[in-house]
Amino acid sequence: MNNKISYLLNTVRSVHRYSSVLTPKSSATTRKHILWIGRYRDPLRNVNFRKLLLNILPSLHGSSLRFVSQKADVYSTGAEALVSEKASQSSLEVEKPDDSGSFKAAVDHSDPFFTSLRKCSCPCDALDLAAEAAVSIKHYTNSLTTAWRLFKNLSEEQQRYEKQLIFEHPAFVKLCQQLLRDARRMMRGDLVFSLHALVSLGVPQNTLLVQTLVRVCQEKLNQLDNRCISVLATTLAGMDKDKNVSALQAGLQLLVEQRISSIRDIFILQNLMKCLGKDAPVFLKKKLEMAVVREIDGLTFLNALRMFLALAAMNYCSLPILNPCSKKIQENVHDVPFRQLILILEACHTLQYRNVKLFSALADYVISTAYLWDKRQIILFLSACETLGFQPTELLDIFAEKVIEDPDFLNLKNLLIVLRVYSRLNHVPRVQKHLFFETLHSCLNKCLPQISNTELLKAVYSLGILGYLPHHALDELLQKDSKDELILPDDLKEQNTVMLRCVKTCMELDSPSFTKPTFVLTENLSSLVSLNLRKAQEALIELLGDENMFRQNVRLPYRYHIDFEISMDSDRKKVLPIVATDDHPDSRVQRLAFLFAPASAFCLGTTHPQGKLAMKKRHLKKLGYHVILIQNKMFQEMKNEDAVEFLKRKIYSEDAFSFPEAIVQDNN
């Protein structure tokens, strides 16, 4: 049966070669249509093929080795960093990667074999050529790497079927036999690129062939040049840990440490950073950083993009690298593909790198080309901004208009993302805000039959933070709560309890029927203040003259807490002693609540409070307080006399002094 299949495939290929003279249709397309006739089968499940692949030439190793076969998917190698310079004693020359991220092998153009190899349009064409004309190990290795390069450029669906053809191709088995036979005689380039191609194509790692190549790489490790080291690092990053792989990785790390000062190519440095990853020792990360900084002046736009991803893979925030890369991206922002926009923002989140100028440039670019993007793409961008705490105000307004115009694209998943983004960033559209909330409410009502309890709670919670009560969804939520249907596992219980309590607080305080109380019961938690509020306490004592003129650590109803409370007369001319206001409650007395919040409670680079803090401010106002928000980090950086003067203006001025709304805080 297998012979018949092989005969059929060879016949198809022969027919294709004959027909290609008359028509430009590619063999990949032809085979795709043919394969659609039959049912796809995983070639690794074929017993005869598996036996052959797992035990290729066992006599070379003295005994027949048996391995457990495994199904292996196609790896995404990430081999973006290959060098262009020629290397002595190498049988392979490598160009820098193309846009697809794959590499190309440049060889002797005078050899007719390589001229024919360059004309191959699909992986099996390269294998056919190897079967017909390969006479040296160099021919075999380049046929394999060409097959991988062509395979890499196919779509995911095409790769599934092409992989079956490759593994069942008679020339592939012969090629594997040849590689195993000549493994220890290979040149260093042939060795590492063959291993890279086999692993990337999905050949199981526990096969005799792959394990042999790994062992030979161990033996020849000191002979590898910088380019081969880069490719080998990429290959190992895509392999599972086993005894041989771990030993080779350890040796490779030592070799990189020795060679790092001699590496000048930015592509190799980037690739090593990505492949060594976050587990690399700190001293090695520092050495890689210094090597990149040496070459930073020659940084190109593409290098800048890739450097963000390399640093994120290594989980190493290097400002001497990130700041120049950020500047280069800002200068060429219109050349950034959409996927790269998201990856840059995700890398910044991983590295905890906050650069308002960079984020603003990316947001401005999306705004200027918003008509080109799909709404779902804009959702992804806004979600990435939300994780950074960055509020692209104009883009949020533009997207709100798109939601109002066409809400049908909002499925449950997208709706939850939109609610989370707008609530955390505390963004209410400047125009048609009521229509925007009604549109979201309507979309939520449509999703109620399919929504889970946790998703329903998150949706109502998000709208509650924005001050909007979705009555129908709220009724549904309260019914589930009354029936104890919101009880969740322990890992979610505390979080959901907090959200549910917040929803119930919003129901009461944000209700139109709620009226400001004439007296609010308060409680002093402690006379001691935390270290980060000690400076504020001392400034208030110096300004007001006595600790009895203010409260500290005050607890209010609804589990709210304020750092300091001051009572003033109705004209805000005079601060009243706390004891006097407690003994004789007076509705004309104005109560000031000071909240010293961390920078993370505000949108990045501004004094615009994020959702939870904004909701707290809104609710304290409902309870009769005039709320003064202060970024504690900025306050701590003030001189003592400036801090006193700042609080004085906050207390006695109706137009309370505030920090500029857009304070740029770059990591310079």
Side-chain angles (χ1 to χ4, degrees), residues 81 83 85 224-230 252-253 255-273 276 284 287-295:
V83 297
E85 75 268 13
L224 301 184
D225 60 11
N226 293 340
R227 176 202 54 204
C228 292
I229 290 174
S230 174
L252 184 64
Q253 184 169 303
L255 187 61
V256 170
E257 182 183 345
Q258 296 173 1
R259 298 268 190 93
I260 194 68
S261 59
S262 66
I263 300 177
R264 292 288 183 267
D265 193 289
I266 201 73
F267 283 98
I268 290 182
L269 292 171
Q270 287 173 338
N271 201 41
L272 290 174
M273 292 165 70
L276 292 175
L284 185 55
K287 284 188 174 183
L288 285 167
E289 176 189 29
M290 294 170 64
V292 172
V293 171
R294 284 199 309 264
E295 311 297 328

Side-chain angles (χ1 to χ4, degrees), residues 35 345 378 431 438 466 502:
L35 284 166
L345 295 177
I378 299 179
V431 295
E438 290 297 333
L466 291 168
C502 175

Side-chain angles (χ1 to χ4, degrees), residues 268-521:
I268 290 182
L269 292 171
Q270 287 173 338
N271 201 41
L272 290 174
M273 292 165 70
K274 289 176 61 178
C275 297
L276 292 175
K278 61 183 179 181
D279 295 329
V282 175
F283 74 88
L284 185 55
K285 294 179 181 180
K286 190 66 178 177
K287 284 188 174 183
L288 285 167
E289 176 189 29
M290 294 170 64
V292 172
V293 171
R294 284 199 309 264
E295 311 297 328
I296 205 73
D297 292 338
L299 200 68
T300 66
F301 168 62
L302 288 177
N303 286 340
L305 289 175
R306 291 172 179 143
M307 190 56 70
F308 267 86
L309 306 183
L311 287 170
M314 202 166 57
N315 197 17
Y316 186 70
C317 184
S318 168
L319 298 184
I321 297 176
L322 287 171
N323 288 333
C325 289
S326 174
K327 185 176 180 181
K328 183 70 70 173
I329 292 174
Q330 292 174 54
E331 294 170 353
N332 301 271
V333 66
H334 291 281
D335 297 326
V336 182
F338 177 80
R339 178 58 184 159
Q340 293 293 332
L341 290 176
I342 304 300
L343 292 177
I344 289 172
L345 295 177
E346 290 177 347
C348 290
H349 175 66
T350 299
L351 297 170
Q352 296 184 2
Y353 178 67
R354 303 294 184 262
N355 189 322
V356 179
K357 288 184 179 179
L358 172 63
F359 302 159
S360 298
L362 298 181
D364 290 343
Y365 168 56
V366 174
I367 291 169
S368 64
T369 56
Y371 61 93
L372 296 175
W373 305 116
D374 182 80
K375 297 184 188 71
R376 293 169 183 82
Q377 289 179 310
I378 299 179
I379 288 178
L380 289 176
F381 183 82
L382 291 176
S383 179
C385 289
E386 177 261 331
T387 59
L388 293 165
F390 174 69
Q391 182 192 25
T393 305
E394 187 176 350
L395 182 60
L396 288 165
D397 284 339
I398 291 174
F399 184 74
E401 294 176 5
K402 291 180 177 291
V403 170
I404 294 172
E405 292 171 1
D406 179 26
D408 293 337
F409 78 95
L410 280 180
N411 56 23
L412 177 58
K413 178 181 177 181
N414 291 334
L415 175 63
L416 293 173
I417 294 175
V418 170
L419 290 172
R420 188 189 74 235
V421 168
Y422 279 80
S423 63
R424 185 191 171 190
L425 297 179
N426 181 32
H427 186 84
V428 177
R430 295 175 183 174
V431 295
Q432 296 183 311
K433 63 179 182 180
H434 295 294
L435 184 56
F436 176 65
F437 287 140
E438 290 297 333
T439 302
L440 294 179
H441 187 189
S442 176
C443 293
L444 178 58
N445 289 340
K446 292 179 182 178
C447 296
L448 287 180
Q450 66 193 74
I451 199 169
S452 69
N453 294 341
T454 301
E455 290 170 338
L456 176 61
L457 178 57
K458 288 180 178 179
V460 175
Y461 171 75
S462 295
L463 287 169
I465 284 180
L466 291 168
Y468 181 85
L469 299 176
H471 297 292
H472 187 36
L474 192 56
D475 292 340
E476 185 89 8
L477 181 68
L478 294 177
Q479 288 179 13
K480 292 179 179 293
D481 181 44
S482 64
K483 298 177 183 178
D484 292 331
E485 295 179 7
L486 296 179
I487 298 176
L488 295 163
D490 292 338
D491 56 337
L492 297 174
K493 187 175 182 179
E494 183 177 353
Q495 176 187 355
N496 284 21
T497 300
V498 172
M499 286 195 292
L500 185 60
R501 184 170 63 243
C502 175
V503 168
K504 293 180 178 179
T505 300
C506 291
M507 286 175 57
E508 187 170 345
L509 296 181
D510 292 329
S511 172
S513 61
F514 181 81
T515 57
K516 184 175 71 172
T518 56
F519 176 75
V520 177
L521 182 63

